[in-house]
Amino acid sequence: MGDYKLSTLMRELGLLRQDAGGAWSPAPEDQLSAGMASDAFQRGLNALCQERLSRLAPLHQAIGFDQLVQEKPHLKVLDLGVCDGTILVALRRAYPTIELLGIEMEPQFFVAIQTIKRLGEFTVAHGTWADSPPVLPYESFDVVQSIHAWPFSP
């Protein structure tokens, strides 16, 4: 599936819309709820989650992620650069007990993130470290990861 992202799926299904000025916004609430419950959305989301977990698998294997979750079910995971939130959704589905915080600094993903937060219990901070919630510094997390970099344990 490559770099196909959740925000692309949401745009294709009309859940995210672009105005004449180029800004993205979610569809009206009733359309958004129905669209996110649709078979097409759920199939696409499942495929994206599988793809993201397969990309993370070598990294998680290297640090013994599954064993960490078994030893500490409420493992605290910080994901840097969440893009549109697909990895957070995938992690929430695969590991329902872990605590997730994602940080994203690129404004083009903010609308998609706000929309996708409905699918799982996780927090996403927008902007810089200075803008992040008081759960930081990163030393308070068990695992700090990014799909763009090697994960490490503080």
Side-chain angles (χ1 to χ4, degrees):
M1 190 161 281
D3 286 334
Y4 186 76
K5 292 189 169 42
L6 186 55
S7 53
T8 303
L9 173 65
M10 294 173 78
R11 287 192 300 267
E12 288 174 356
L13 295 176
L15 304 178
L16 291 178
R17 299 182 175 160
Q18 193 171 25
D19 65 20
W24 290 94
S25 62
E29 182 62 37
D30 58 337
Q31 293 173 357
L32 190 61
S33 295
M36 291 177 87
S38 73
D39 287 341
F41 179 79
Q42 291 302 317
R43 277 192 310 273
L45 180 61
N46 288 339
L48 286 166
C49 287
Q50 288 299 87
E51 187 269 339
R52 291 301 190 255
L53 287 175
S54 70
R55 284 177 67 185
L56 281 173
L59 306 176
H60 281 177
Q61 186 176 11
I63 64 169
F65 192 80
D66 286 336
Q67 184 176 347
L68 288 172
V69 173
Q70 286 177 357
E71 292 171 3
K72 187 174 182 180
H74 296 285
L75 192 75
K76 291 178 71 176
V77 177
L78 173 62
D79 188 29
L80 302 174
V82 300
C83 297
D84 59 11
T86 308
I87 290 174
L88 294 177
V89 174
L91 287 172
R92 171 58 59 225
R93 289 178 169 204
Y95 305 98
T97 62
I98 65 174
E99 296 179 38
L100 294 168
L101 172 67
I103 295 180
E104 180 55 58
M105 296 181 358
E106 297 295 329
Q108 72 262 26
F109 294 116
F110 292 174
V111 172
I113 290 169
Q114 286 301 111
T115 305
I116 204 62
K117 281 172 64 173
R118 309 159 162 262
L119 294 175
E121 295 177 15
F122 51 81
T123 303
V124 177
H126 303 151
T128 66
W129 285 94
D131 300 328
S132 300
V135 294
L136 298 178
Y138 75 86
E139 291 93 348
S140 67
F141 290 87
D142 301 304
V143 175
V144 178
Q145 72 175 22
S146 173
I147 196 78
H148 312 290
W150 197 260
F152 62 92
S153 296

